[in-house]
């Protein structure tokens, strides 16, 4: 039960020592419960994103004084809550909604800026994100795409490689060094963005499989929140990558 999503992994549902399913008291995880909680988390994200959208930019389209607060506060706060949730999954009924709220501030501010620079780009990214979600869900449910062990290993390896590239970008950026080509609007940059989007999308397949496995193995009820949280993490990643790709394409015009 592996997933390329770093917050959805084997240790989530299984005890690494005994290999047994995590003990639970009361009800077990259900698919409908996970779907409902995913919808709720998305609603919370949209609510705070809409608020940040209206506050992030001034009348002339320049960043408002609170812009950096929404961006960095949302990004850092979301990262902290994601780490806490990953290590304390039993806290997910509280930390998952908090993550959705905080991440919404980041997404709203960034989306407002992107939409100011490239009008209409946000709606395109939203449609592509959810179009990808439902297309892969259909492919998974109909058996067109199967999360085999080799498939999982490939996606996990590619996801780890992308994470290392982004980490290197952040670290080198602190010293004024930029990784050439991949973050630019040239063919290499566009190709890199397409590759990242494909890997992010394939992570959705692994997440579907992981949640379904948790339901089949009778994971604790709170894991519905954790499964929804993990799916939201992937959707946020996919949405941001679509924004980056569309911005690169439009900057070439």
């Amino acid at each position: 039960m592996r997933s390329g999503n770093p917050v959805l992994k084997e240790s989530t549902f299984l005890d690494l020592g005994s290999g047994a399913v995590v003990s639970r008291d009361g009800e077990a995880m259900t698919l409908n419960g996970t779907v409902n909680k995913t919808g709720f988390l998305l609603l919370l994200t949209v609510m705070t994103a809409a608020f940040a959208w209206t506050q992030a930019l001034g009348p002339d389209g320049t960043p408002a004084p609170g812009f950096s607060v929404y961006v960095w506060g949302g990004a850092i706060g979301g990262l902290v809550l994601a780490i806490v949730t990953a290590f304390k999954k039993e806290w997910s009924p509280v930390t998952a909604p908090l993550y959705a709220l905080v991440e919404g501030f980041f997404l709203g501010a960034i989306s407002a800026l992107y939409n100011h620079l490239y009008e209409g780009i946000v709606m395109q990214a939203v449609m592509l994100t959810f179009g990808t979600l439902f297309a892969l869900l259909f492919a998974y449910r109909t058996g067109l795409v199967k999360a085999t062990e080799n498939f999982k290993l490939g996606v996990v390896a590619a996801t780890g490689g992308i994470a290392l590239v982004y980490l290197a970008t952040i670290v080198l950026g602190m010293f004024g060094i930029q990784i050439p080509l991949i973050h630019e609007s040239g063919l290499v940059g566009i190709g890199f963005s397409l590759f990242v989007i494909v890997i992010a999308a394939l992570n959705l397949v692994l997440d579907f499989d992981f949640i379904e496995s948790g339901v089949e193995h009778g994971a604790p009820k709170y894991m519905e929140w954790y499964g929804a949280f993990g799916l939201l993490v992937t959707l946020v990643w996919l949405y941001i990558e679509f924004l980056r790709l569309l911005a690169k394409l439009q900057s070439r015009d």
Side-chain angles (χ1 to χ4, degrees), residues 76-207:
I76 297 175
L79 177 61
V80 170
L81 285 167
I83 293 174
V84 170
T85 307
F87 283 96
K88 288 289 186 178
K89 48 191 175 292
E90 63 272 18
W91 293 0
S92 57
V94 175
T95 57
L98 288 177
Y99 168 82
L101 289 170
V102 171
E103 196 68 20
F105 288 121
F106 167 75
L107 293 177
I110 290 296
S111 297
L113 181 60
Y114 267 99
N115 201 65
H116 173 70
L117 297 174
Y118 310 100
E119 187 174 357
I121 192 175
V122 169
M123 184 55 66
Q124 295 173 25
V126 170
M127 293 177 65
L128 286 169
T129 299
F130 283 97
T132 302
L133 170 65
F134 291 119
L136 285 175
L137 180 58
F138 174 79
Y140 175 75
R141 297 301 295 175
T142 57
L144 293 176
V145 176
K146 296 182 180 180
T148 64
E149 284 302 311
N150 288 335
F151 179 89
K152 294 175 184 179
L153 287 173
V155 175
V156 169
T159 302
I162 292 169
L164 289 177
V165 170
Y166 281 154
L167 179 61
T169 299
I170 295 172
V171 173
L172 292 176
M174 294 179 180
F175 299 95
I177 303 174
Q178 301 295 324
I179 298 179
L181 301 178
I182 64 173
H183 299 299
E184 299 172 3
S185 59
L187 292 179
V188 175
I190 291 174
F192 177 75
S193 288
L194 286 171
F195 172 74
V196 175
I197 286 173
V198 169
I199 298 304
L202 293 180
N203 268 277
L204 288 173
V205 175
L206 300 192
D207 295 342

Side-chain angles (χ1 to χ4, degrees), residues 55-85:
Q55 303 295 316
L57 302 182
D60 58 351
T62 58
F67 177 81
S68 59
V69 175
Y70 292 119
V71 172
W72 291 108
I76 297 175
L79 177 61
V80 170
L81 285 167
I83 293 174
V84 170
T85 307

